[in-house]
Amino acid sequence: MADPQSDEVRRLRAEEHLSVREIRARTGLGRNRVYALLRGVPPPERTRRPNAKDDLRAEALALRSTGHSVPEIAQQLSVSRSTAYLWVRHLPLARDPEQERERRQAHSKAMTEGRWATYRQARDEAQAAAHDSAARAVGELDDRDVLLLGAVTYWCEGTKSKPWRRDDHVQFINSDPGLLLLFLRFLEVCGVDRTVATYRVSIHETADAEAAADWWAGRLALPRDRFQRATLKKHKATTVRRNVGDTYRGCLVINVPGSRELYWRIEGMIAGLFQSVTAR
């Protein structure tokens, strides 16, 4: 037998899209009675409350479709694993073996980075403190300090005569701007002005030699007209080099013309240093 109340309640919901409260006001029925009569009838769209997690759920589905696991989704969206599982449990996890390997490597790297972050920070702070303390301990260098440092620097990095090939002249090559500045200061203390020496860039042929020469001249305050033609190194395709790009400027060669006597002085300073060390 048809129930007029049920028919009316369902009509109000289906045709007029009324809410439970509006149906109660229209019919005078109690809330529980209205709910019972509306069982199985979906509420109108306008009465639905927006779910604050709808966007998160959609993002979880997108992550799942790209091969993310439930723990990864939960961590990335800041939700519980159980919530993430309920959202994506109908989507099986299928990963490409290569993608899975890369994912595991990335995850392992991230875990390692996080584990060592605190250690690295403490290490970096200790290193900075050691650098600052050591730099302050150096203080101002007088001419004698510069002479000794310059002589040792040259003996390590400069060209030297051989018993079978005498070539007593001063030529220094390096890629470290700081070391080159120290050697230029040494030359000044020895009475050799920067306008006397000649300069030459030694660089791979794939680099911009002229730009490198401009950079060295500006960095070390050198007269650009004292630069000679660059020495280009042949490129080997099989060699993997890291000194590439805009920051690669090769080495700078400093040559002092008529420097035989200066070379002898450097030999003498080195001999004196060695004697001083062995005397102890």
Side-chain angles (χ1 to χ4, degrees):
M1 182 180 293
D3 184 348
Q5 285 186 337
S6 176
D7 292 342
E8 178 62 10
V9 168
R10 288 174 172 268
R11 186 192 69 78
L12 291 173
R13 169 56 63 85
E15 297 180 4
E16 299 189 29
H17 308 294
L18 299 185
S19 66
V20 170
R21 187 186 333 184
E22 292 168 337
I23 293 173
R24 288 178 58 200
R26 183 78 66 88
T27 62
L29 298 175
R31 182 174 60 182
N32 291 341
R33 178 60 176 164
V34 172
Y35 274 122
L37 295 175
L38 290 176
R39 186 175 292 115
V41 180
E45 194 64 33
R46 68 180 184 85
T47 64
R48 290 179 180 270
R49 293 184 178 180
N51 190 338
K53 291 186 176 180
D54 283 347
D55 292 341
L56 287 177
R57 184 175 185 276
E59 191 172 350
L61 295 175
L63 290 172
R64 186 66 163 185
S65 66
T66 58
H68 287 74
S69 66
V70 168
E72 291 170 345
I73 295 172
Q75 181 179 11
Q76 187 159 337
L77 301 183
S78 299
V79 298
S80 67
R81 291 191 179 188
S82 58
T83 298
Y85 171 73
L86 289 174
W87 285 344
V88 303
R89 60 183 175 181
H90 63 289
L91 296 177
L93 181 60
R95 286 174 169 160
D96 178 83
E98 181 63 22
Q99 292 179 343
E100 174 66 8
R101 183 183 66 80
E102 293 177 357
R103 185 197 66 83
R104 289 184 180 276
Q105 288 179 346
H107 180 69
S108 176
K109 182 178 180 180
M111 292 292 290
T112 301
E113 290 290 334
R115 188 180 301 115
W116 288 100
T118 302
Y119 164 77
R120 289 196 184 96
Q121 181 179 356
R123 179 202 62 191
D124 292 344
E125 291 174 354
Q127 182 184 39
H131 284 177
D132 182 63
S133 176
R136 284 187 282 106
V138 172
E140 293 292 329
L141 299 180
D142 58 23
D143 288 351
R144 182 176 184 277
D145 295 331
V146 174
L147 283 174
L148 296 178
L149 286 171
V152 171
T153 298
Y154 184 84
W155 212 244
C156 293
E157 299 291 331
T159 60
K160 293 180 283 293
S161 285
K162 306 297 182 184
W164 58 89
R165 178 180 54 81
R166 295 300 301 177
D167 189 14
D168 298 349
H169 82 278
V170 174
Q171 180 173 280
F172 185 81
I173 179 170
N174 211 266
S175 62
D176 188 322
L179 207 58
L180 288 161
L181 281 171
L182 173 62
F183 184 69
L184 288 168
R185 172 75 186 283
F186 167 77
L187 291 179
E188 290 173 354
V189 173
C190 292
V192 179
D193 190 79
R194 297 189 184 194
T195 60
V196 173
T198 61
Y199 310 95
R200 173 169 45 86
V201 172
S202 178
I203 197 168
H204 284 86
E205 61 182 354
T206 54
D208 189 338
E210 288 300 312
D214 291 339
W215 186 88
W216 282 114
R219 180 67 176 80
L220 304 181
L222 302 174
R224 185 66 173 84
D225 59 354
R226 296 296 294 171
F227 275 70
Q228 299 176 334
R229 180 181 297 179
T231 299
L232 300 181
K233 305 175 185 178
K234 294 293 184 181
H235 175 67
K236 295 182 179 179
T238 57
T239 302
V240 178
R241 295 192 296 111
R242 296 183 182 272
N243 52 344
V244 295
D246 294 338
T247 59
Y248 171 59
R249 302 177 182 96
C251 295
L252 183 67
V253 181
I254 301 176
N255 188 72
V256 183
S259 54
R260 181 173 61 175
E261 184 178 346
L262 176 58
Y263 182 84
W264 293 343
R265 289 172 60 189
I266 293 174
E267 283 185 320
M269 283 185 277
I270 293 299
L273 283 169
F274 289 168
Q275 290 173 2
S276 178
V277 171
T278 56
R280 294 177 178 273

